[in-house]
Amino acid sequence: MADMSWHSDPGGRQGSAVLDMDSIEAGEISKDYSSDTQDDFGVTFSSEPRGSSASGSSKSFAEDMRQRVGENVTQMMWQAGTQSAKRAWNVYGNIDLLRPYFDVEPKEVQSRLLYSLVPMRPTDARQEVPKELYGPAMVVLTLIALLLYQMKSADHRVEEGTLIGSAFAVCFMYWFGASGLVWFVAYVSEVRIAILQILSMLGYALFGHCIVIFLGTVIHTHHDHMFFYLLWAIIGGLSTLRMAGIIMSRTRGPKQRLFVTGTIAALHMFFLLYLHFAYRTIVQEISDALNDNLVPAPASVKVEVIAPSHNVEAAT
Amino acid sequence: MADVEFHDEIVDVPLEGDIDVPGAAKSDDELSTLDEPVKETILRDVKAVGNKFAHVLIPKQSRVLLKEWDLWGPLVLCTFLAIMLQGSTDDLNMMGENDGGPQFAEVFVIYWLGASVVTLNIKLLGGNISFFQSVCVLGYCVCPLGLALIVCRVLLAVSSDSLGLFIARFISVIGGFAWSTFASTAFLADSQPAGRKILAMYPLFLFYFVISWLIISHTHS
């Protein structure tokens, strides 16, 4: 509050804007502090010393203050509200801004999907990365559907929320989060790549995940994960190599290359492991427990387990 | 005063006639809904919704679904699917879990999230269609899958689980899936830029595929 107009002091010196410490007696200052402590912050702003009428003016000052604060808060709230409303409107209106990144031909998408699994030898020439988001978005949506299928077939359950919600969150958070992280690492290591290119590259690389998750769910090998590890190494490795080639062709120093490539490879491969095992281990543990303990257990144990529930039902 | 004389003159000749704006639509029908019985209003809306369902079941190039969009049909269909697909609570109680909630919410979320994602994709690809128009079309086009679900439930209720039963259910769901996809493309085809139809079709296909898969994987009656 830089506005000083509220402070009207009839007893004060007119026109003094600078506090002259020499011209004020010590007693005057002490009276000033003792008389109106509730608005003593006024002293820091105002150079006008207050006399005997200070207590009278402090009342009107407090009221004025309250009114002004109220007005300001209302104004601030209104501004914040209109700003967020404008932002929401802009997001919908700015769909046009995203359109260029969705401007592809079906054949291009097809070839990009295929080439996401074909690593190229890094040469001096920069490998091209499209700034396109249609393909990655569709790959992520497909991955969500496959994940839903996997969760269902593994009897995964979510305590709060829905399966589709968690699949959606995991996939999109990985896509955006990993892209952000890789962008940061690439920025630090001076890789010549834009954030949209990273989004596109990581998104297309998820195509390999889709294949692995699909095959891993359809071809069920319950207690033996060899098949999955094989797919993980081959298909996941191919898409990682593809990304590594792109990064290598755009980076200079060997240390930087290793750093960025290592980050991408770790993120990519561990995400695939996570997707495969996160929604599966719990069920397997339960099924193991059921097979090992409950099935060979004597019948009396089962009766004990069942009996209380019958009692409860009878009571109700 | 001159005013008084002026008044006297006016009273003699009362103002009469219609004001016609050339080109403006006659809105007599809509104005009269104020004093019509509630039953008529509801029946008219129900008829409009039923008309749209008929359009989906017999797909032909028509603008009714796009022009007069509403979300009643999708809401009814969504609730129907969600209730019918609700998991039974009996077989899961051994783990001390109640499977009541998520199933309903899940169908609900898939339905609306899927429809909005497909719509967003259409808009991003440069389709010439408004958001709710597209959601309306997508929602109404789930109708064949709803019919397939009814067939599945009847089949499951009639006989026990067997291979023949599964094949019958599979055929009905595949039929519903194809029908839904075909109907929605028939309605949305015009709004797509030429040569990009397959790009807009893919998420649509995925959306109906997930719903079909939910229906076929629902085995307990």
Side-chain angles (χ1 to χ4, degrees):
Chain A
M1 290 271 294
D3 196 3
M4 228 72 74
S5 62
W6 39 265
H7 201 104
S8 61
D9 198 339
R13 280 169 231 169
Q14 295 287 314
S16 70
V18 183
L19 184 64
D20 193 0
M21 290 305 284
D22 295 335
S23 64
I24 302 168
E25 286 99 4
E28 207 171 20
I29 291 176
S30 70
K31 194 165 63 181
D32 226 23
Y33 279 121
S34 62
S35 65
D36 45 18
T37 44
Q38 82 247 41
D39 58 351
D40 58 355
F41 57 89
V43 176
T44 56
F45 290 117
S46 154
S47 60
E48 296 163 284
R50 266 157 271 168
S52 56
S53 65
S55 59
S57 75
S58 75
K59 210 173 191 180
S60 71
F61 160 69
E63 266 174 31
D64 220 6
M65 198 52 196
R66 207 172 298 139
Q67 202 182 343
R68 288 209 167 239
V69 166
E71 270 173 24
N72 268 18
V73 167
T74 319
Q75 210 173 4
M76 260 161 56
M77 294 293 277
W78 171 250
Q79 269 175 357
T82 45
Q83 255 177 11
S84 61
K86 260 185 199 163
R87 216 173 299 138
W89 173 248
N90 278 347
V91 167
Y92 188 70
N94 283 347
I95 275 182
D96 286 337
L97 284 183
L98 283 174
R99 266 196 195 138
Y101 308 115
F102 281 74
D103 185 25
V104 272
E105 295 298 319
K107 280 203 168 167
E108 283 178 304
V109 176
Q110 219 176 340
S111 69
R112 278 169 195 169
L113 281 178
L114 278 178
Y115 276 105
S116 74
L117 295 176
V118 181
M120 306 268 220
R121 270 185 84 84
T123 49
D124 286 341
R126 269 192 225 161
Q127 286 178 20
E128 280 203 7
V129 187
K131 282 186 184 176
E132 181 238 306
L133 294 178
Y134 173 82
M138 289 308 119
V139 168
V140 171
L141 287 179
T142 315
L143 190 61
I144 290 169
L146 286 172
L147 217 57
L148 192 68
Y149 174 53
Q150 194 201 29
M151 285 172 174
K152 279 269 182 187
S153 64
D155 240 4
H156 179 71
R157 255 187 222 100
V158 186
E159 283 294 313
E160 306 240 332
T162 55
L163 290 182
I164 180 90
S166 52
F168 212 84
V170 163
C171 291
F172 271 99
M173 261 163 58
Y174 168 75
W175 188 29
F176 290 122
S179 299
L181 188 67
V182 170
W183 178 76
F184 175 71
V185 170
Y187 182 77
V188 168
S189 320
E190 291 181 331
V191 184
R192 294 169 170 271
I193 196 162
I195 179 84
L196 275 161
Q197 286 173 318
I198 293 175
L199 274 172
S200 184
M201 184 181 76
L202 281 176
Y204 272 117
L206 286 178
F207 179 58
H209 285 31
C210 288
I211 297 173
V212 176
I213 294 287
F214 178 70
L215 290 179
T217 315
V218 170
I219 303 168
H220 238 24
T221 49
H222 237 301
H223 291 273
D224 186 21
H225 288 294
M226 265 320 283
F227 180 65
F228 166 73
Y229 281 123
L230 208 69
L231 283 176
W232 177 73
I234 294 173
I235 297 180
L238 279 178
S239 52
T240 311
L241 280 178
R242 162 84 186 174
M243 289 194 288
I246 291 172
I247 294 295
M248 301 260 245
S249 73
R250 287 166 171 265
T251 325
R252 282 204 194 122
K255 264 186 198 167
Q256 281 94 328
R257 280 184 180 177
L258 198 68
F259 185 38
V260 181
T261 315
T263 311
I264 290 180
L267 279 172
H268 192 69
M269 299 303 264
F270 277 118
F271 184 57
L272 184 49
L273 278 182
Y274 171 76
L275 286 184
H276 185 75
F277 286 108
Y279 308 113
R280 176 168 298 241
T281 41
I282 306 164
V283 179
Q284 267 188 0
E285 275 166 16
I286 289 170
S287 73
D288 284 351
L290 286 176
N291 286 334
D292 296 346
N293 303 332
L294 279 189
V295 174
S300 59
V301 177
K302 274 188 181 172
V303 170
E304 275 176 24
V305 172
I306 293 164
S309 69
H310 273 290
N311 286 345
V312 171
E313 277 175 30
T316 51
Chain B
M1 298 232 338
D3 278 344
V4 181
E5 286 167 36
F6 179 69
H7 262 292
D8 286 339
E9 271 176 43
I10 290 298
V11 168
D12 288 341
V13 188
L15 200 62
E16 240 182 301
D18 291 325
I19 299 173
D20 274 327
V21 182
K26 300 243 177 197
S27 54
D28 283 356
D29 296 341
E30 293 190 12
L31 281 177
S32 68
T33 52
L34 270 180
D35 49 1
E36 78 175 5
V38 178
K39 192 179 137 200
E40 263 178 51
T41 315
I42 291 175
L43 273 181
R44 195 181 44 241
D45 285 349
V46 168
K47 227 179 252 175
V49 171
N51 192 22
K52 279 170 201 153
F53 275 125
H55 270 289
V56 171
L57 292 180
I58 309 156
K60 52 192 175 199
Q61 291 282 345
S62 145
R63 309 275 306 165
V64 177
L65 224 59
L66 290 177
K67 214 170 166 188
E68 297 163 16
W69 59 266
D70 67 61
L71 296 177
W72 281 115
L75 180 68
V76 169
L77 262 175
C78 169
T79 320
F80 172 75
L81 281 181
I83 291 173
M84 291 296 266
L85 288 175
Q86 178 85 345
S88 90
T89 49
D90 298 339
D91 55 345
L92 295 159
N93 274 346
M94 63 176 211
M95 278 152 77
E97 286 186 44
N98 187 7
D99 191 37
Q103 204 77 348
F104 188 93
E106 197 178 320
V107 176
F108 207 85
V109 169
I110 287 178
Y111 198 94
W112 294 108
L113 204 69
S116 14
V117 164
V118 172
T119 305
L120 206 64
N121 180 57
I122 288 174
K123 297 243 358 150
L124 283 169
L125 287 172
N128 182 24
I129 194 169
S130 91
F131 187 82
F132 286 112
Q133 274 179 337
S134 171
V135 170
C136 164
V137 169
L138 290 170
Y140 270 105
C141 287
V142 180
C143 184
L145 280 170
L147 291 181
L149 175 62
I150 296 176
V151 171
C152 282
R153 291 303 294 253
V154 168
L155 283 175
L156 277 173
V158 167
S159 64
S160 60
D161 214 1
S162 70
L163 187 68
L165 183 74
F166 178 76
I167 290 171
R169 280 169 51 219
F170 187 73
I171 289 170
S172 79
V173 170
I174 285 291
F177 170 61
W179 201 345
S180 288
T181 318
F182 174 67
S184 56
T185 37
F187 288 113
L188 294 174
D190 286 346
S191 62
Q192 293 305 311
R196 298 271 174 86
K197 273 175 196 155
I198 192 86
L199 296 182
M201 279 281 293
Y202 178 69
L204 201 120
F205 170 84
L206 203 66
F207 173 55
Y208 289 129
F209 187 78
V210 168
I211 294 181
S212 325
W213 170 71
L214 275 183
I215 290 172
I216 197 136
S217 67
H218 182 78
T219 46
H220 37 245
S221 55

